[in-house]
Amino acid sequence: MCLLVLDRPLNKPLGALTSHVCILINFCRVWDGRSWNQMTTALFCYFLLQLYSQLQQKHSVMALGSERATVDPLSQVDSGRIQKLANLSQDSGAMSQQLLYRALVSAKWLSEAIKSQQAGLALKIVDASWYLPKMKRDPKREFEERHIPGAVFFDIDQCSDRTSPYDHMLPKANDFAEYVGKLGVGNDSHVVVYDGSDQGLFSAPRVWWMFRVFGHEAVSLLDGGLKNWQREGNALSSGKTQVAPSEFHASLDKSLVKTYEDVLDNLDSRRFQLVDARAAGRFRGVEPEPRDGIEPGHVPGSTSIPFTDFLTESGFEKTPEQIRTLFQEKKVDLLKPVVATCGSGVTACHVALGAYLCGKPDVAVYDGAWVEWYMRAQPENIISEGKGKTV
């Protein structure tokens, strides 16, 4: 898969040329030998486009994932903030373009964006800290003690389907819109999410994924989280942040969410690859689950990639090249459908983030995750080296 990130929209002549070439290339792919002139014309136009792109490259193209450095925050929130990826899709066999938002921003970028009054009009910083009960950490209290200036607190448990027997399941679109609107997030906001975990990023990717599920692509993660924000000597605030409510419209993208029934059907159909982000011991069934009444193990046919494997020792996200190698070593094919799971749908979003950084934005998350699977699945569908499940 070839991916290019453009820092500005294509001009009209090039955009028109691209559209025509897409049509011709698609025709070429189904050419049956009866139209030689059309095939040669398509190839000529294709190479002409490549030549034109090379001439434009010095000011319009950056390699995906090559930079963790600072991008001008003023241009980021303006029209240039959405970077275009020209995605030459190998599996579909056709040239297509797709918009992918900048998934990671550095502490330096965010610090400069906060200082910029113009950027601050569109920038919304969200603290999405959440911890397992056995970790005995209170994210709300910690937020009031210290947070990035201007940040608001996003409660993953509060912004959920409160009628579900499972932990922090996705809320309805209207409920999500109401919740984030009260946090001052509008549809024109560039949302930057972080958390205060020791890992650098733990729960923040869940909220990044939630915004995308509800149709908001202008969302990024603070690479390294609060841990590295502090390490680099950036400012902190305390107390509660007062914000003016905003209007937010949400629409659920069902393609990014999988249900118990979807995963159960996949045991036979094998329509997608299931990647589990829990620790390897929990996946194997030899280390305890953090929730009472739930035994460890995994879904039949799933693959283990602990979420920490996507992070460096310092808590930063690994490069796309390193992540791509990780998927390859685990025999996960990014050209085929992938679904992520974990304990309760939080760290699974690290798998979705990792794939996104490799140019694959369509990884879905099994929202009920292992807790739901263990509670509903038959004992033969609980694979474990330990106790497993009995009727």
Side-chain angles (χ1 to χ4, degrees):
M1 182 177 291
C2 175
L3 290 170
L4 298 177
V5 182
L6 306 183
D7 64 358
R8 67 194 65 187
L10 293 171
N11 57 39
K12 291 183 179 180
L14 180 56
L17 179 60
T18 301
S19 299
H20 288 301
V21 170
C22 288
I23 296 171
L24 291 168
I25 292 298
N26 283 328
F27 184 87
C28 264
R29 291 185 183 278
V30 297
W31 179 69
D32 59 5
R34 293 175 296 177
S35 182
W36 178 260
N37 288 337
Q38 287 176 320
M39 179 177 181
T40 55
T41 300
L43 290 174
F44 173 77
C45 290
Y46 175 73
F47 288 117
L48 181 63
L49 175 61
Q50 296 303 305
L51 177 60
Y52 187 90
S53 297
Q54 289 296 320
L55 294 175
Q56 294 288 317
Q57 188 173 21
K58 64 181 180 180
H59 64 275
S60 64
V61 179
M62 302 180 294
L64 176 64
S66 65
E67 187 286 351
R68 292 186 184 277
T70 305
V71 172
D72 178 10
L74 296 183
S75 64
Q76 178 77 7
V77 298
D78 196 39
S79 61
R81 70 180 183 176
I82 297 181
Q83 302 172 335
K84 288 190 176 181
L85 295 180
N87 179 2
L88 305 185
S89 176
Q90 294 180 354
D91 52 339
S92 66
M95 182 183 294
S96 63
Q97 288 187 340
Q98 191 166 18
L99 287 174
L100 291 187
Y101 202 84
R102 178 184 178 89
L104 298 172
V105 296
S106 68
K108 182 178 181 181
W109 181 94
L110 184 57
S111 177
E112 292 183 1
I114 292 172
K115 295 174 184 176
S116 168
Q117 182 177 359
Q118 182 178 349
L121 295 175
L123 185 67
K124 295 298 178 184
I125 307 170
V126 172
D127 184 322
S129 298
W130 174 88
Y131 307 106
L132 290 165
K134 292 186 177 181
M135 297 176 72
K136 298 186 183 304
R137 291 183 63 174
D138 185 341
K140 290 183 181 178
R141 179 183 57 79
E142 291 182 12
F143 173 82
E144 292 189 15
E145 291 175 352
R146 65 182 187 280
H147 57 260
I148 294 176
V152 292
F153 183 74
F154 188 109
D155 190 328
I156 289 177
D157 288 320
Q158 185 70 28
C159 186
S160 66
D161 180 359
R162 309 297 294 278
T163 66
S164 173
Y166 311 112
D167 295 339
H168 37 254
M169 298 285 281
L170 275 177
K172 295 179 181 179
N174 289 341
D175 292 336
F176 180 83
E178 181 181 2
Y179 184 85
V180 300
K182 289 180 179 179
L183 296 181
V185 178
N187 292 103
D188 61 343
S189 298
H190 174 192
V191 181
V192 176
V193 192
Y194 73 92
D195 64 59
S197 66
D198 295 333
Q199 294 90 345
L201 287 177
F202 175 65
S203 54
R206 168 72 182 190
V207 174
W208 169 83
W209 173 77
M210 289 176 72
F211 271 102
R212 294 184 57 243
V213 165
F214 288 113
H216 193 75
E217 293 293 337
V219 57
S220 306
L221 286 157
L222 173 60
D223 197 14
L226 184 64
K227 169 184 175 180
N228 284 289
W229 173 269
Q230 292 180 264
R231 179 180 295 171
E232 294 178 23
N234 291 296
L236 291 172
S237 294
S238 60
K240 295 181 179 179
T241 303
Q242 301 297 324
V243 295
S246 185
E247 186 174 2
F248 188 93
H249 298 282
S251 178
L252 176 66
D253 183 350
K254 295 181 180 179
S255 70
L256 294 179
V257 188
K258 293 297 181 183
T259 65
Y260 170 82
E261 289 74 20
D262 293 327
V263 177
L264 183 64
D265 177 74
N266 194 63
L267 297 183
D268 294 324
S269 67
R270 301 294 182 184
R271 290 190 178 93
F272 54 80
Q273 304 159 95
L274 185 64
V275 178
D276 194 318
R278 291 173 300 154
R282 292 169 61 188
F283 179 88
R284 291 170 51 205
V286 296
E287 293 180 3
E289 286 291 311
R291 296 170 179 83
D292 295 334
I294 305 296
E295 294 295 327
H298 62 268
V299 177
S302 56
T303 299
S304 173
I305 307 182
F307 80 93
T308 50
D309 286 0
F310 294 95
L311 301 170
T312 68
E313 291 184 2
S314 300
F316 294 102
E317 197 74 15
K318 289 182 178 178
T319 67
E321 291 74 20
Q322 292 173 315
I323 295 172
R324 193 174 294 109
T325 298
L326 175 62
F327 280 122
Q328 291 172 348
E329 290 174 347
K330 297 291 186 174
K331 295 180 170 48
V332 176
D333 189 347
L334 293 181
L335 294 179
K336 297 179 180 179
V338 176
V339 173
T341 186
C342 59
S344 62
V346 174
T347 59
C349 300
H350 283 261
V351 178
L353 171 62
Y356 186 99
L357 293 172
C358 293
K360 184 177 179 62
D362 60 352
V363 170
V365 169
Y366 171 27
D367 199 27
W370 180 246
V371 171
E372 181 186 30
W373 184 261
Y374 182 84
M375 292 178 68
R376 298 182 63 181
Q378 294 299 312
E380 61 268 23
N381 289 330
I382 303 294
I383 307 301
S384 175
E385 297 175 26
K387 181 179 178 179
K389 181 179 180 179
T390 56
V391 177

